[in-house]
Amino acid sequence: MVRIGAIVFIVGAVATLVTVAPLFLGTEPFPTLAYAVSMLMGVGFLIAGAGVLRSIAAQRRQAKSGAATAA
């Protein structure tokens, strides 16, 4: 889940760079769809964060079950 989030984040980051480039180059701005794709940056961040939290929860469950069997 973290890897998928990282990939989506990178796609969004590239889209953000592409949509900001016309401001510096003085060319025509891209259509609204390009700005919508740049929102994937935030979505990817949320997906990766959810994957990290899920991993933490799984490790805690594993540690708790290991401690219960050792006692």
Side-chain angles (χ1 to χ4, degrees):
M1 208 165 163
V2 175
R3 288 182 187 164
I4 293 170
I7 292 169
V8 172
F9 180 84
I10 289 170
V11 169
V14 169
T16 300
L17 291 174
V18 168
T19 54
V20 172
L23 297 173
F24 296 113
L25 300 175
T27 60
E28 289 288 320
F30 288 102
T32 307
L33 181 62
Y35 293 100
V37 172
S38 69
M39 296 296 170
L40 288 177
M41 197 164 140
V43 173
F45 186 76
L46 289 174
I47 292 171
V52 168
L53 292 176
R54 190 171 158 190
S55 174
I56 290 170
Q59 287 178 2
R60 283 186 178 177
R61 282 192 302 270
Q62 185 179 19
K64 190 180 282 188
S65 69
T69 57

